[in-house]
């Protein structure tokens, strides 16, 4: 029987571009080595170009964000409540799928802001990270990680924005930003 390595915890954070791209790149690398990858995308619709390609890669299982609740700052209390129920279930589904399918890598894209907004309880994420299967590698993305989750991480990479085309009025472009 092949010995599995210890699964580590990665955080890709910061206000710069590339957090999701880095996480998905790692997912593709893992799938290329016959690893089982589970990806859950929080707070994002499924029309990003990378989703179309990831669906075609053997070994990658995507949990789709099929509902859109709008911008968080525009949500009513009722919409926030529904979003919290939806994203909490999505988190539980991702964890269950990764653990029951003997997953090698779990990517929780934009989980950090989902927790910051109260859609997924920080304590549930922290408890999962503490008690996860020893061999499961986990990637968290988003802005503003809090101290506890930073302390649990083995890798922390911060993307820092120096310049962005939006400052010149250039909007997000298909195939580049989404």
């Amino acid at each position: 029987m092949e010995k599995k390595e210890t699964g580590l915890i990665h955080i890709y954070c910061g206000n710069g571009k590339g957090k999701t791209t880095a996480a998905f790149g790692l997912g593709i690398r893992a799938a290329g080595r016959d690893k089982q990858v589970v990806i859950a995308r929080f707070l994002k619709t499924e029309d990003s170009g990378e989703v179309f390609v990831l669906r075609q890669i053997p070994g990658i299982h995507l949990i789709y964000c099929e509902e859109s609740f709008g911008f968080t700052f525009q949500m009513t209390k009722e919409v926030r409540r529904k979003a919290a129920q939806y994203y909490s279930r999505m988190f539980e589904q991702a964890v269950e799928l990764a653990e029951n399918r003997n997953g090698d890598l779990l990517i929780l894209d934009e989980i950090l802001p989902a927790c910051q907004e109260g859609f997924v309880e920080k304590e549930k994420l922290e408890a999962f990270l503490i008690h996860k299967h020893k061999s499961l590698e986990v990637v968290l993305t988003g802005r503003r990680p809090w101290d506890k989750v930073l302390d649990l991480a083995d890798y922390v990479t911060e993307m820092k924005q120096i310049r962005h085309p939006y400052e010149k009025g250039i909007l997000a472009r298909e195939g580049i930003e989404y």
Side-chain angles (χ1 to χ4, degrees):
M1 183 174 178
E2 182 181 321
K3 182 181 175 188
K4 281 197 160 190
E5 297 176 18
T6 299
L8 302 179
I9 299 169
H10 307 238
I11 294 177
Y12 297 122
C13 61
N15 66 349
K17 181 179 178 340
K19 297 176 286 292
T20 297
T21 304
F24 289 179
L26 182 59
I28 291 167
R29 177 182 289 157
R33 294 292 187 170
D34 296 321
K35 306 261 186 221
Q36 293 300 306
V37 180
V38 175
I39 299 172
R41 293 169 39 96
F42 298 82
L43 308 176
K44 291 183 173 179
T45 60
E46 298 306 319
D47 68 345
S48 288
E50 65 268 19
V51 172
F52 305 132
V53 172
L54 289 171
R55 288 179 183 154
Q56 300 172 37
I57 300 173
I60 293 183
H61 181 86
L62 278 165
I63 297 174
Y64 303 107
C65 184
E66 296 175 345
E67 286 194 43
S68 179
F69 299 96
F71 292 111
T72 56
F73 62 88
Q74 295 175 328
M75 289 181 185
T76 64
K77 284 185 181 181
E78 178 61 18
V79 171
R80 289 184 73 82
R81 186 186 65 71
K82 287 180 181 178
Q85 289 174 339
Y86 184 84
Y87 292 128
S88 290
R89 281 193 311 268
M90 182 187 280
F91 171 71
E92 290 166 10
Q93 180 187 5
V95 167
E96 183 179 319
L97 190 60
E99 291 183 342
N100 290 343
R101 282 191 155 197
N102 199 22
D104 298 297
L105 174 63
L106 172 61
I107 298 172
L108 299 170
D109 187 35
E110 297 295 341
I111 188 69
L112 299 176
C115 288
Q116 294 284 15
E117 291 291 336
F119 299 136
V120 176
E121 292 178 29
K122 289 179 180 180
E123 296 79 14
K124 284 189 178 181
L125 176 62
E126 293 164 5
F128 161 68
L129 295 173
I130 291 166
H131 301 291
K132 72 176 184 63
H133 285 207
K134 187 175 181 178
S135 63
L136 181 63
E137 199 89 5
V138 178
V139 177
L140 315 173
T141 73
R143 297 176 183 216
R144 300 182 351 254
W146 54 99
D147 290 341
K148 176 75 176 188
V149 80
L150 286 168
D151 290 343
L152 293 170
D154 300 290
Y155 295 90
V156 177
T157 302
E158 181 179 12
M159 276 60 163
K160 181 179 175 188
Q161 179 180 311
I162 305 294
R163 181 176 302 124
H164 196 286
Y166 185 78
E167 296 164 353
K168 297 179 187 176
I170 299 171
L171 300 178
R173 297 162 299 144
E174 186 176 300
I176 304 298
E177 281 85 23
Y178 70 94

Coordinates of all heavy atoms in Angstrom, one line a residue, residues 99-174:
E99 N -14.1 13.9 1.7 CA -13.7 12.9 2.7 C -14.3 11.5 2.3 O -13.6 10.5 2.4 CB -14.2 13.3 4.1 CG -13.4 14.5 4.6 CD -13.7 14.9 6.0 OE1 -14.8 14.5 6.5 OE2 -12.9 15.6 6.6
N100 N -15.5 11.5 1.7 CA -16.1 10.2 1.3 C -15.5 9.6 0.0 O -15.6 8.4 -0.2 CB -17.6 10.3 1.2 CG -18.2 10.5 2.6 OD1 -17.6 10.3 3.6 ND2 -19.5 11.0 2.6
R101 N -15.0 10.5 -0.8 CA -14.5 10.0 -2.1 C -13.0 9.8 -2.0 O -12.3 9.7 -3.0 CB -14.8 11.0 -3.2 CG -16.1 10.9 -3.7 CD -16.2 11.8 -5.0 NE -17.3 11.3 -5.8 CZ -17.4 11.6 -7.1 NH1 -16.5 12.3 -7.7 NH2 -18.5 11.1 -7.8
N102 N -12.5 9.8 -0.8 CA -11.0 9.7 -0.6 C -10.3 10.8 -1.4 O -9.3 10.5 -2.1 CB -10.5 8.3 -1.0 CG -9.2 8.0 -0.4 OD1 -8.8 8.6 0.6 ND2 -8.5 7.1 -1.0
G103 N -10.8 12.0 -1.3 CA -10.2 13.1 -2.0 C -8.8 13.4 -1.6 O -8.4 13.2 -0.4
D104 N -8.0 13.9 -2.5 CA -6.7 14.3 -2.2 C -6.5 15.8 -2.0 O -5.7 16.2 -1.2 CB -5.8 13.9 -3.4 CG -5.8 12.4 -3.6 OD1 -5.3 11.7 -2.7 OD2 -6.2 11.9 -4.7
L105 N -7.3 16.6 -2.7 CA -7.2 18.0 -2.7 C -8.7 18.6 -2.6 O -9.5 18.3 -3.5 CB -6.5 18.6 -3.9 CG -6.4 20.1 -4.1 CD1 -5.7 20.7 -2.9 CD2 -5.7 20.4 -5.4
L106 N -8.9 19.5 -1.7 CA -10.2 20.2 -1.6 C -9.9 21.7 -1.7 O -9.1 22.3 -1.0 CB -10.8 20.0 -0.3 CG -12.1 20.8 0.1 CD1 -13.2 20.6 -1.0 CD2 -12.6 20.5 1.5
I107 N -10.5 22.3 -2.7 CA -10.3 23.8 -3.0 C -11.6 24.5 -2.6 O -12.7 24.2 -3.2 CB -9.9 24.1 -4.4 CG1 -8.6 23.4 -4.8 CG2 -9.9 25.6 -4.7 CD1 -8.2 23.5 -6.3
L108 N -11.5 25.4 -1.6 CA -12.7 26.2 -1.2 C -12.5 27.6 -1.7 O -11.9 28.4 -0.9 CB -12.9 26.1 0.3 CG -13.1 24.6 0.8 CD1 -13.0 24.6 2.4 CD2 -14.4 24.1 0.4
D109 N -12.9 27.9 -2.9 CA -12.7 29.1 -3.5 C -13.6 30.2 -3.0 O -14.8 30.0 -3.0 CB -12.9 29.0 -5.1 CG -12.5 30.3 -5.8 OD1 -11.5 30.9 -5.4 OD2 -13.1 30.5 -6.8
E110 N -13.0 31.3 -2.5 CA -13.8 32.4 -1.9 C -14.5 32.0 -0.6 O -15.4 32.7 -0.2 CB -14.8 33.0 -2.9 CG -14.1 33.7 -4.1 CD -13.2 34.9 -3.8 OE1 -13.3 35.5 -2.7 OE2 -12.4 35.2 -4.6
I111 N -13.9 31.0 0.1 CA -14.5 30.6 1.4 C -14.2 31.7 2.5 O -15.0 31.9 3.4 CB -14.0 29.2 1.9 CG1 -14.7 28.7 3.1 CG2 -12.5 29.3 2.1 CD1 -16.1 28.4 2.9
L112 N -13.1 32.4 2.3 CA -12.8 33.4 3.4 C -13.8 34.5 3.4 O -14.3 34.8 4.5 CB -11.3 33.9 3.2 CG -10.2 32.8 3.3 CD1 -8.9 33.4 3.0 CD2 -10.2 32.1 4.6
P113 N -14.1 35.1 2.3 CA -15.2 36.2 2.4 C -16.6 35.6 2.7 O -17.4 36.2 3.3 CB -15.2 36.8 1.0 CG -14.4 35.9 0.1 CD -13.5 35.1 1.0
A114 N -16.8 34.3 2.3 CA -18.1 33.7 2.7 C -18.2 33.6 4.2 O -19.3 33.8 4.8 CB -18.2 32.3 2.0
C115 N -17.1 33.3 4.8 CA -17.0 33.3 6.3 C -17.1 34.7 6.9 O -17.8 35.0 7.8 CB -15.8 32.6 6.8 SG -15.8 30.8 6.6
Q116 N -16.4 35.6 6.3 CA -16.4 37.0 6.8 C -17.8 37.6 6.7 O -18.1 38.4 7.6 CB -15.4 37.9 6.0 CG -13.9 37.5 6.1 CD -13.3 37.9 7.4 OE1 -14.0 38.3 8.4 NE2 -12.0 37.9 7.5
E117 N -18.5 37.2 5.8 CA -19.9 37.7 5.6 C -20.9 37.0 6.5 O -22.1 37.3 6.5 CB -20.3 37.7 4.1 CG -19.6 38.7 3.2 CD -20.0 40.1 3.5 OE1 -21.1 40.4 4.1 OE2 -19.1 41.0 3.2
G118 N -20.5 35.9 7.1 CA -21.4 35.2 8.0 C -22.2 34.1 7.2 O -23.1 33.5 7.8
F119 N -21.8 33.8 6.0 CA -22.6 32.8 5.2 C -22.1 31.4 5.6 O -22.9 30.4 5.5 CB -22.4 33.0 3.7 CG -22.9 34.3 3.3 CD1 -22.2 35.1 2.4 CD2 -24.1 34.8 3.7 CE1 -22.6 36.3 1.9 CE2 -24.6 36.1 3.3 CZ -23.8 36.8 2.4
V120 N -20.9 31.2 6.0 CA -20.4 30.0 6.5 C -19.7 30.3 7.9 O -19.0 31.3 7.9 CB -19.3 29.3 5.6 CG1 -18.7 28.1 6.2 CG2 -19.9 29.0 4.2
E121 N -20.0 29.6 8.9 CA -19.5 29.9 10.2 C -18.0 29.7 10.3 O -17.5 28.6 9.9 CB -20.2 29.1 11.3 CG -21.7 29.4 11.5 CD -22.3 28.5 12.5 OE1 -21.6 28.0 13.4 OE2 -23.5 28.3 12.4
K122 N -17.3 30.7 10.7 CA -15.8 30.6 10.8 C -15.4 29.4 11.7 O -14.5 28.7 11.3 CB -15.3 31.9 11.5 CG -15.3 33.1 10.6 CD -14.7 34.3 11.4 CE -14.7 35.5 10.5 NZ -14.1 36.7 11.3
E123 N -16.2 29.2 12.7 CA -15.9 28.1 13.7 C -16.0 26.7 13.0 O -15.3 25.8 13.3 CB -16.8 28.1 14.9 CG -16.6 29.4 15.8 CD -17.3 30.6 15.2 OE1 -18.1 30.5 14.3 OE2 -16.9 31.7 15.7
K124 N -17.0 26.6 12.0 CA -17.1 25.3 11.3 C -15.9 25.1 10.4 O -15.4 24.0 10.3 CB -18.4 25.3 10.5 CG -19.6 25.1 11.3 CD -20.9 24.9 10.5 CE -22.0 24.6 11.4 NZ -23.3 24.3 10.6
L125 N -15.5 26.2 9.7 CA -14.3 26.0 8.9 C -13.1 25.7 9.7 O -12.3 24.8 9.4 CB -14.0 27.3 8.1 CG -12.7 27.3 7.2 CD1 -12.8 26.2 6.1 CD2 -12.5 28.7 6.6
E126 N -12.9 26.4 10.8 CA -11.7 26.1 11.7 C -11.8 24.7 12.2 O -10.7 24.0 12.2 CB -11.7 27.1 12.8 CG -11.5 28.5 12.4 CD -11.8 29.5 13.5 OE1 -12.2 29.1 14.6 OE2 -11.8 30.7 13.2
A127 N -12.9 24.2 12.7 CA -13.0 22.8 13.2 C -12.7 21.8 12.1 O -12.0 20.8 12.3 CB -14.4 22.6 13.7
F128 N -13.2 22.1 10.9 CA -12.9 21.2 9.8 C -11.4 21.1 9.5 O -10.8 20.0 9.4 CB -13.6 21.6 8.5 CG -13.0 21.0 7.3 CD1 -13.1 19.7 7.0 CD2 -12.3 21.9 6.4 CE1 -12.4 19.1 5.9 CE2 -11.7 21.3 5.3 CZ -11.8 20.0 5.0
L129 N -10.7 22.3 9.5 CA -9.3 22.3 9.3 C -8.5 21.5 10.4 O -7.5 20.9 10.1 CB -8.8 23.7 9.1 CG -9.3 24.5 7.9 CD1 -8.9 26.0 8.0 CD2 -8.9 23.9 6.6
I130 N -9.0 21.6 11.6 CA -8.3 21.0 12.7 C -8.5 19.5 12.6 O -7.6 18.7 12.9 CB -8.8 21.5 14.0 CG1 -8.3 23.0 14.2 CG2 -8.4 20.7 15.2 CD1 -9.0 23.7 15.3
H131 N -9.7 19.0 12.2 CA -10.1 17.6 12.3 C -10.1 16.9 10.9 O -10.5 15.7 10.9 CB -11.4 17.4 13.0 CG -11.4 18.0 14.4 ND1 -10.7 17.4 15.4 CD2 -12.0 19.1 14.9 CE1 -10.9 18.1 16.5 NE2 -11.7 19.1 16.2
K132 N -9.7 17.6 9.9 CA -9.7 17.0 8.5 C -8.9 15.7 8.5 O -8.0 15.5 9.3 CB -9.2 18.0 7.5 CG -7.7 18.2 7.5 CD -7.3 19.1 6.4 CE -5.8 19.3 6.4 NZ -5.0 18.1 6.1
H133 N -9.2 14.9 7.5 CA -8.4 13.7 7.2 C -6.9 14.1 7.1 O -6.6 15.1 6.4 CB -8.8 12.9 6.0 CG -10.1 12.2 6.2 ND1 -10.4 11.1 5.5 CD2 -11.1 12.4 7.0 CE1 -11.6 10.6 5.8 NE2 -12.1 11.4 6.8
K134 N -6.0 13.4 7.7 CA -4.6 13.7 7.7 C -4.0 13.9 6.3 O -3.1 14.8 6.1 CB -3.8 12.7 8.5 CG -2.4 13.1 8.7 CD -1.7 12.0 9.6 CE -0.3 12.5 9.8 NZ 0.4 11.6 10.7
S135 N -4.5 13.1 5.3 CA -3.9 13.2 4.0 C -4.5 14.2 3.1 O -4.0 14.5 2.0 CB -4.0 11.8 3.4 OG -5.3 11.4 3.2
L136 N -5.6 14.9 3.5 CA -6.4 15.8 2.6 C -5.7 17.2 2.6 O -5.5 17.8 3.6 CB -7.8 16.0 3.1 CG -8.7 16.9 2.3 CD1 -8.9 16.4 0.9 CD2 -10.0 17.1 3.0
E137 N -5.3 17.6 1.4 CA -4.7 18.9 1.1 C -5.9 19.9 1.0 O -6.9 19.5 0.3 CB -3.9 18.8 -0.2 CG -2.9 20.0 -0.3 CD -1.5 19.7 0.3 OE1 -1.3 18.6 0.8 OE2 -0.7 20.6 0.3
V138 N -5.8 21.0 1.5 CA -6.9 22.0 1.5 C -6.4 23.4 1.1 O -5.4 23.8 1.6 CB -7.6 22.1 2.9 CG1 -8.8 23.1 2.8 CG2 -8.2 20.8 3.3
V139 N -7.1 24.0 0.1 CA -6.8 25.3 -0.3 C -8.0 26.3 0.0 O -9.1 25.9 -0.4 CB -6.5 25.4 -1.8 CG1 -6.2 26.8 -2.3 CG2 -5.3 24.5 -2.2
L140 N -7.7 27.4 0.6 CA -8.7 28.4 0.9 C -8.3 29.7 0.1 O -7.1 30.0 0.1 CB -8.7 28.8 2.4 CG -8.7 27.6 3.4 CD1 -8.5 28.1 4.8 CD2 -9.9 26.7 3.3
T141 N -9.3 30.3 -0.5 CA -9.0 31.6 -1.2 C -9.9 32.7 -0.7 O -10.9 32.5 -0.1 CB -9.1 31.5 -2.7 OG1 -10.5 31.4 -3.1 CG2 -8.4 30.3 -3.3
G142 N -9.4 33.9 -0.9 CA -10.2 35.1 -0.6 C -9.4 36.2 0.1 O -8.2 36.0 0.4
R143 N -10.1 37.2 0.4 CA -9.4 38.4 1.1 C -9.6 38.2 2.7 O -10.5 37.5 3.1 CB -10.0 39.7 0.7 CG -9.8 39.9 -0.8 CD -10.5 41.2 -1.2 NE -10.3 41.4 -2.7 CZ -10.1 42.5 -3.2 NH1 -10.2 43.7 -2.5 NH2 -10.0 42.6 -4.5
R144 N -8.8 38.9 3.4 CA -8.9 39.1 4.8 C -9.0 37.8 5.7 O -9.9 37.7 6.4 CB -10.0 40.0 5.1 CG -9.9 41.4 4.5 CD -11.0 42.4 4.9 NE -12.2 41.9 5.6 CZ -13.4 41.6 5.0 NH1 -13.6 41.9 3.8 NH2 -14.4 41.2 5.8
P145 N -8.0 36.9 5.6 CA -8.1 35.8 6.5 C -7.9 36.3 7.9 O -7.2 37.2 8.1 CB -6.9 34.9 6.0 CG -6.0 35.8 5.3 CD -6.8 36.9 4.7
W146 N -8.5 35.6 8.9 CA -8.4 36.0 10.3 C -7.3 35.2 10.9 O -6.8 34.2 10.4 CB -9.7 35.9 10.9 CG -10.4 34.5 10.8 CD1 -10.4 33.5 11.7 CD2 -11.1 34.0 9.7 NE1 -11.0 32.4 11.3 CE2 -11.5 32.7 10.0 CE3 -11.5 34.5 8.5 CZ2 -12.2 31.9 9.1 CZ3 -12.2 33.7 7.6 CH2 -12.6 32.4 7.9
D147 N -6.9 35.6 12.1 CA -5.7 35.1 12.8 C -5.8 33.5 13.0 O -4.8 32.8 12.7 CB -5.5 35.7 14.2 CG -5.1 37.2 14.0 OD1 -4.6 37.5 13.0 OD2 -5.2 37.9 15.0
K148 N -6.9 33.0 13.4 CA -7.1 31.6 13.7 C -6.8 30.8 12.4 O -6.1 29.8 12.5 CB -8.4 31.3 14.3 CG -8.7 29.8 14.5 CD -8.0 29.3 15.7 CE -8.4 27.8 16.0 NZ -7.9 27.3 17.2
V149 N -7.4 31.2 11.3 CA -7.2 30.4 10.1 C -5.8 30.6 9.6 O -5.2 29.6 9.0 CB -8.3 30.8 9.1 CG1 -8.0 32.0 8.3 CG2 -8.5 29.6 8.1
L150 N -5.2 31.7 9.8 CA -3.8 31.9 9.4 C -2.9 31.0 10.2 O -1.9 30.4 9.7 CB -3.4 33.4 9.6 CG -3.9 34.4 8.5 CD1 -3.6 35.8 9.0 CD2 -3.2 34.1 7.2
D151 N -3.2 30.9 11.5 CA -2.4 30.0 12.4 C -2.5 28.5 11.9 O -1.5 27.8 12.1 CB -2.8 30.1 13.8 CG -2.5 31.5 14.4 OD1 -1.6 32.2 13.9 OD2 -3.1 31.8 15.5
L152 N -3.6 28.1 11.4 CA -3.8 26.7 11.0 C -3.1 26.4 9.6 O -2.9 25.3 9.3 CB -5.3 26.4 10.9 CG -6.0 26.4 12.2 CD1 -7.5 26.3 12.0 CD2 -5.6 25.2 13.1
A153 N -2.8 27.4 8.9 CA -2.3 27.2 7.5 C -0.8 26.9 7.5 O 0.0 27.4 8.4 CB -2.5 28.5 6.7
D154 N -0.4 26.1 6.5 CA 1.0 25.7 6.3 C 1.6 26.6 5.2 O 2.8 26.9 5.3 CB 1.1 24.3 5.9 CG 0.5 23.3 6.9 OD1 1.1 23.2 8.0 OD2 -0.6 22.8 6.7
Y155 N 0.8 27.0 4.3 CA 1.2 28.0 3.2 C 0.3 29.2 3.3 O -0.9 29.0 3.4 CB 1.0 27.4 1.8 CG 1.8 26.2 1.4 CD1 1.3 24.9 1.6 CD2 2.9 26.3 0.7 CE1 1.9 23.8 1.1 CE2 3.6 25.2 0.2 CZ 3.1 24.0 0.4 OH 3.8 22.9 -0.1
V156 N 0.9 30.4 3.2 CA 0.1 31.6 3.1 C 0.7 32.4 2.0 O 1.9 32.8 2.2 CB -0.1 32.4 4.4 CG1 -0.9 33.7 4.2 CG2 -0.7 31.5 5.5
T157 N 0.0 32.6 1.0 CA 0.5 33.5 -0.1 C -0.4 34.6 -0.3 O -1.7 34.5 -0.5 CB 0.5 32.6 -1.5 OG1 1.4 31.5 -1.2 CG2 1.1 33.5 -2.6
E158 N 0.1 35.8 -0.3 CA -0.7 37.1 -0.4 C -0.4 37.7 -1.8 O 0.7 37.9 -2.2 CB -0.3 38.1 0.6 CG -1.2 39.3 0.5 CD -0.8 40.3 1.6 OE1 0.2 40.2 2.3 OE2 -1.6 41.3 1.8
M159 N -1.5 37.8 -2.6 CA -1.4 38.5 -3.8 C -1.7 40.0 -3.6 O -2.7 40.4 -3.0 CB -2.5 38.0 -4.8 CG -2.2 36.8 -5.6 SD -1.9 35.4 -4.5 CE -2.0 34.1 -5.7
K160 N -0.7 40.8 -3.9 CA -0.8 42.2 -3.6 C -1.0 43.0 -4.9 O -0.2 42.9 -5.9 CB 0.5 42.7 -3.0 CG 0.5 44.2 -2.6 CD 1.9 44.6 -2.0 CE 1.9 46.1 -1.8 NZ 3.2 46.5 -1.3
Q161 N -2.1 43.8 -5.0 CA -2.3 44.6 -6.1 C -1.4 45.9 -6.2 O -1.4 46.6 -5.2 CB -3.8 45.1 -6.1 CG -4.2 46.0 -7.3 CD -5.6 46.4 -7.2 OE1 -6.5 45.6 -7.0 NE2 -5.8 47.7 -7.4
I162 N -0.7 46.0 -7.2 CA 0.1 47.2 -7.4 C -0.6 48.1 -8.4 O -0.7 49.3 -8.2 CB 1.5 46.8 -8.0 CG1 2.2 45.8 -7.1 CG2 2.4 48.0 -8.3 CD1 2.6 46.3 -5.8
R163 N -1.2 47.5 -9.4 CA -1.9 48.3 -10.5 C -3.0 47.4 -11.0 O -2.8 46.2 -11.1 CB -0.9 48.7 -11.6 CG -1.5 49.5 -12.7 CD -0.5 49.9 -13.8 NE 0.5 50.7 -13.1 CZ 1.9 50.4 -13.2 NH1 2.3 49.4 -13.8 NH2 2.8 51.1 -12.6
H164 N -4.1 48.0 -11.4 CA -5.2 47.2 -12.0 C -5.8 48.0 -13.1 O -6.0 49.2 -12.9 CB -6.2 46.8 -10.9 CG -7.2 45.7 -11.3 ND1 -8.2 45.9 -12.2 CD2 -7.2 44.4 -10.9 CE1 -8.8 44.8 -12.3 NE2 -8.3 43.9 -11.6
P165 N -6.2 47.4 -14.2 CA -6.8 48.1 -15.3 C -8.1 48.8 -15.0 O -8.5 49.7 -15.7 CB -7.0 47.0 -16.4 CG -6.5 45.8 -15.9 CD -6.0 46.0 -14.5
Y166 N -8.8 48.3 -14.0 CA -10.1 48.9 -13.5 C -9.8 50.4 -13.2 O -10.7 51.2 -13.4 CB -10.7 48.1 -12.4 CG -12.0 48.6 -12.0 CD1 -13.2 48.3 -12.7 CD2 -12.2 49.5 -10.9 CE1 -14.4 48.8 -12.3 CE2 -13.4 49.9 -10.5 CZ -14.5 49.6 -11.2 OH -15.8 50.0 -10.9
E167 N -8.7 50.7 -12.7 CA -8.3 52.1 -12.3 C -8.4 53.0 -13.6 O -8.5 54.2 -13.4 CB -6.9 52.1 -11.7 CG -6.9 51.4 -10.4 CD -5.5 51.1 -9.9 OE1 -4.5 51.3 -10.7 OE2 -5.3 50.6 -8.8
K168 N -8.2 52.4 -14.8 CA -8.2 53.1 -16.0 C -9.6 53.0 -16.7 O -9.8 53.4 -17.8 CB -7.2 52.6 -17.0 CG -5.8 52.8 -16.6 CD -4.9 52.1 -17.6 CE -3.4 52.1 -17.2 NZ -2.6 51.4 -18.1
G169 N -10.6 52.4 -16.0 CA -11.9 52.3 -16.5 C -12.1 51.0 -17.4 O -13.1 50.9 -18.0
I170 N -11.1 50.1 -17.4 CA -11.2 48.9 -18.2 C -11.9 47.8 -17.3 O -11.4 47.5 -16.2 CB -9.8 48.4 -18.6 CG1 -9.1 49.4 -19.5 CG2 -9.9 47.0 -19.3 CD1 -7.7 49.1 -19.8
L171 N -13.1 47.4 -17.8 CA -13.9 46.4 -17.1 C -13.3 45.0 -17.3 O -12.5 44.8 -18.1 CB -15.3 46.5 -17.6 CG -16.0 47.9 -17.4 CD1 -17.4 47.8 -17.9 CD2 -16.0 48.3 -15.9
A172 N -13.8 44.1 -16.4 CA -13.4 42.7 -16.5 C -13.7 42.1 -17.9 O -14.7 42.4 -18.5 CB -14.2 41.8 -15.5
R173 N -12.6 41.4 -18.4 CA -12.7 40.9 -19.8 C -12.8 39.4 -19.8 O -12.2 38.7 -19.1 CB -11.4 41.3 -20.5 CG -11.3 42.8 -20.6 CD -9.9 43.3 -20.9 NE -9.0 42.9 -19.9 CZ -7.7 42.5 -20.1 NH1 -7.2 42.5 -21.3 NH2 -7.0 42.2 -19.1
E174 N -13.7 38.9 -20.7 CA -14.0 37.5 -20.8 C -12.7 36.8 -21.2 O -11.9 37.2 -22.1 CB -15.0 37.2 -21.9 CG -15.5 35.8 -22.0 CD -16.6 35.6 -23.0 OE1 -17.7 36.2 -22.8 OE2 -16.4 34.9 -24.0

